[in-house]
Amino acid sequence: MDFEHKISVLGSTGSIGTQTLEIAREYKGIQIKAMTAYSNADLLEKQAREFLPKVVSLTDESAAKDLKIRLADTNIKVSSGKEGLVEAAVIDDAKTVVTAVVGISGLEPTIAAIKAKKNIALANKETLVTGGHIVTALADEYGVNILPVDSEHSAIFQSLQGCKDTNEIKRIILTASGGPFFGKTRKELKNVTPSDALKHPNWNMGAKVTIDSSTLVNKGLEVMEAKWLFGCDNIKVLVHRQSVVHSMVEFVDNGVIAQLGAPDMRLPIQYALTYPNRLPMKNNELDFIKYGSLTFDEPDTDTFYALSLAFDAMKCGGIKPTVFNSADEAAVEMFLKGKLSYLGISEAIGKALDKIENIENPTVEQIFEADRASREIVYGM
Ligand code: NDP
Ligand code: MG
């Protein structure tokens, strides 16, 4: 199939980024015009030599200096800092920007990309959690699409193809794998170490999203992401251990449409890049017989109470979702460094939510101010 698509990949060295490049390797029509990472000069150099983008950028200044020397024999421009990330997001030649950086760092480049009329293939859920009201309004104003990469949201998006009236949606059913600690009590999780929490049963992802999956914070962020993507806040979370039903939409007539597939992020990434078309994909057929049965359970919001905090934050709106997200970012960072206990992650989120007053319709500046304030509370724990 003839297919051409020029893209920019923010976070090309990460889990989503490298899988995006795998798809570009398969479909040569996908051309990479810019790629970025935080500090991984080794891998970004290799990727740059293979895909020959116009611009590469590393946020870390000294890593960027090193990369500039390494790529001196090429015509590839090397940029740095937050400006470099924005430069990659607005590069003239790209039509779509894949946002695969981690955390609130995705917000500013995504806003810049929308203002430059790029479609967004959105993996960075934190962008919608923190700035959903700004980003969705800008996407409408500039007439660009926000195409979900997160597997659950891609499943909902796929299930909604053919739905002409969003009033026909009764509720969204987000599935959750339950993570490595499904069935455990809070007491049993007291001494969890980073290496315990980094073992996800079904998905191989970056460290932050893996820890978030184990605490169900990831599901909480996804609830807020779904609200912004689909304009519906009637959202039910179900634990589905096999990660085969990637999510579902229940309509007013009680019909339910789901998207199923093997747990493989390449499909949602590829669909966001080829939408509304579908292209063949190797090695990810769903083997129904291998699974045999599919199970569904209520989430345990006593052990994993960050999920309830996320629903509360979504209902409050304003700055609360940012506080939820930023407290979690700081808490996960501390947990991975051995400075906070596993159960301390949910406690930290609760503490920041209690301490920070809400602001309705926050500006980007107020969002970053709340980000700083939330981190300060957590670092002080
Ligand atoms: P990874 O940690 O694997 O990769 C993150 C990428 O972003 C790397 O390229 C990293 O560079 C770069 N990066 C990290 N911090 C910053 C920063 N502060 N500023 C700029 N760039 C930065 O993450 P994932 O690929 O797992 O996740 C990316 C996003 O996609 C997250 O928002 C996650 O929630 C979402 N997502 C991920 C899924 C998955 O399967 N992995 C599934 C669904 C959603 P470097 O390598 O130099 O550190
Ligand atoms: Mg997901």
Side-chain angles (χ1 to χ4, degrees):
M1 180 182 177
D2 268 353
F3 172 73
E4 196 183 281
H5 199 145
K6 293 174 180 160
I7 66 171
S8 167
V9 185
L10 310 184
S12 63
T13 57
S15 162
I16 296 290
T18 52
Q19 293 180 83
T20 304
L21 299 187
E22 253 184 70
I23 294 161
R25 228 170 250 129
E26 186 69 26
Y27 288 104
K28 302 288 178 212
I30 299 178
Q31 297 167 33
I32 318 279
K33 294 298 172 185
M35 51 214 316
T36 77
Y38 185 78
S39 61
N40 191 344
D42 267 351
L43 184 53
L44 193 56
E45 180 193 355
K46 285 196 192 96
Q47 293 178 339
R49 289 188 184 280
E50 179 182 354
F51 290 96
L52 302 174
K54 281 192 158 175
V55 172
V56 293
S57 183
L58 284 170
T59 304
D60 184 89
E61 299 286 349
S62 75
K65 266 187 200 149
D66 174 32
L67 186 63
K68 201 165 189 172
I69 296 166
R70 292 170 187 233
L71 290 176
D73 62 316
T74 70
N75 293 325
I76 302 166
K77 181 178 176 200
V78 178
S79 298
S80 66
K82 285 188 179 171
E83 306 73 33
L85 189 57
V86 169
E87 185 183 347
V90 302
I91 189 164
D92 263 356
D93 309 51
K95 219 174 147 218
T96 296
V97 177
V98 180
T99 62
V101 296
V102 179
I104 198 170
S105 62
L107 180 60
E108 285 177 303
T110 306
I111 289 176
I114 294 172
K115 288 183 175 169
K117 297 207 168 163
K118 313 293 182 194
N119 290 320
I120 307 296
L122 183 126
N124 181 257
K125 59 196 87 183
E126 297 91 339
T127 291
L128 286 182
V129 171
T130 58
H133 56 298
I134 298 169
V135 167
T136 52
L138 282 173
D140 281 348
E141 184 184 337
Y142 287 86
V144 306
N145 292 326
I146 301 181
L147 297 156
V149 167
D150 214 345
S151 56
E152 295 78 359
H153 305 74
S154 176
I156 295 160
F157 183 62
Q158 292 178 58
S159 300
L160 284 172
Q161 296 306 308
C163 170
K164 294 195 175 64
D165 180 356
T166 50
N167 289 320
E168 293 175 355
I169 302 172
K170 186 160 131 192
R171 62 174 181 166
I172 285 171
I173 302 171
L174 269 185
T175 54
S177 72
F181 307 129
F182 174 73
K184 302 271 189 221
T185 61
R186 223 186 285 186
K187 205 168 149 204
E188 288 170 313
L189 297 180
K190 235 178 133 186
N191 298 317
V192 163
T193 64
S195 79
D196 300 328
L198 285 169
K199 285 184 202 121
H200 195 281
N202 304 339
W203 299 99
N204 189 5
M205 310 177 286
K208 194 237 170 200
V209 61
T210 306
I211 303 295
D212 284 351
S213 297
S214 79
T215 53
L216 295 201
V217 163
N218 181 52
K219 210 47 57 184
L221 295 172
E222 290 184 352
V223 166
M224 298 187 248
E225 180 187 11
K227 176 194 139 176
W228 289 113
L229 282 171
F230 307 110
C232 168
D233 59 6
N234 191 5
I235 302 170
K236 169 75 188 157
V237 172
L238 277 186
V239 175
H240 166 52
R241 296 294 284 156
Q242 298 78 23
S243 298
V244 165
V245 177
H246 294 304
S247 279
M248 322 181 224
V249 179
E250 186 174 42
F251 293 89
V252 286
D253 58 2
N254 299 326
V256 178
I257 298 187
Q259 184 257 330
L260 281 68
D264 183 342
M265 284 308 296
R266 289 176 309 151
L267 166 61
I269 299 169
Q270 179 171 295
Y271 190 64
L273 295 179
T274 63
Y275 170 80
N277 302 309
R278 288 181 181 269
L279 298 187
M281 180 167 280
K282 290 180 191 149
N283 307 325
N284 75 340
E285 271 174 26
L286 177 58
D287 181 349
F288 283 92
I289 305 300
K290 181 183 120 194
Y291 287 97
S293 58
L294 301 177
T295 59
F296 299 93
D297 292 279
E298 281 290 345
D300 171 1
T301 48
D302 180 35
T303 303
F304 303 103
Y305 69 98
L307 182 59
S308 304
L309 295 177
F311 272 100
D312 294 346
M314 176 178 76
K315 279 183 199 124
C316 279
I319 205 73
K320 293 285 182 178
T322 297
V323 174
F324 177 95
N325 175 72
S326 298
D328 173 65
E329 285 190 33
V332 170
E333 185 191 320
M334 285 178 59
F335 169 66
L336 289 173
K337 287 181 180 158
K339 293 183 179 165
L340 185 71
S341 71
Y342 182 73
L343 296 177
I345 299 173
S346 301
E347 281 166 29
I349 297 170
K351 193 168 177 184
L353 284 169
D354 281 346
K355 281 202 164 175
I356 296 180
E357 289 280 321
N358 203 11
I359 305 171
E360 298 294 334
N361 281 318
T363 61
V364 173
E365 292 69 33
Q366 287 171 320
I367 290 170
F368 281 102
E369 182 45 45
D371 174 65
R372 270 188 295 277
S374 309
R375 285 171 197 269
E376 217 168 274
I377 291 169
V378 178
Y379 294 143
M381 276 178 74

